[in-house]
Amino acid sequence: QVQLQESGPGLVKPSQTLSLTCTVSGGSITSDYYYWSWIRQSPGKGLEWMGAITGSGSIFYSPSLKSRTSISRDTSKNQFTLQLISVTPEDTATYYCARCPDLDADYCSLGQGTQVIVSS
């Protein structure tokens, strides 16, 4: 059974870069059967799919976040990462890494999530 664990700072200052890492166990991120994704949930809102990387290394981004988002991976560590630049308080959310069957937030296996607050 796949397990995903997010790690990274819980507090980021406005205009800085949010960086998170997802460590995967019980499955390989080189598997092309799934999309290895980042999803977030802001307070009082639904899940927002941010982007994903495939087993072969193809990367897809949400159009609304594409200009600020970068996803990469380290296959030797079975990890993939998220960078979100120029954050604002509106980026305050719980961030999840996930294994998804498609390029959206439906039917994904989520990590436990990590709360990130953007505040000075």
Side-chain angles (χ1 to χ4, degrees):
Q1 183 175 350
V2 68
Q3 292 186 321
L4 305 101
Q5 179 66 59
E6 305 87 353
S7 59
L11 179 64
V12 182
K13 293 184 178 180
S15 81
Q16 293 189 341
T17 297
L18 181 162
S19 296
L20 296 173
T21 296
C22 181
T23 301
V24 178
S25 59
S28 173
I29 64 169
T30 59
S31 168
D32 238 348
Y33 194 74
Y34 298 101
Y35 295 92
W36 302 94
S37 304
W38 288 99
I39 294 167
R40 69 180 182 179
Q41 186 168 29
S42 301
K45 297 185 179 180
L47 295 174
E48 178 183 19
W49 181 85
M50 301 179 69
I53 186 167
T54 68
S56 59
S58 298
I59 302 172
F60 301 87
Y61 297 111
S62 166
S64 63
L65 294 169
K66 184 176 182 178
S67 63
R68 298 197 294 129
T69 307
S70 178
I71 294 174
S72 60
R73 66 178 183 173
D74 185 338
T75 57
S76 68
K77 297 180 180 179
N78 216 33
Q79 294 176 333
F80 61 104
T81 63
L82 170 73
Q83 287 196 322
L84 184 66
I85 66 171
S86 305
V87 297
T88 72
E90 286 68 40
D91 294 309
T92 293
T94 298
Y95 287 77
Y96 300 90
C97 60
R99 187 185 74 175
C100 301
D102 212 333
L103 293 173
D104 56 40
D106 297 336
Y107 307 111
C108 296
S109 297
L110 301 176
Q112 67 180 28
T114 185
Q115 184 178 36
V116 178
I117 296 173
V118 179
S119 175
S120 56

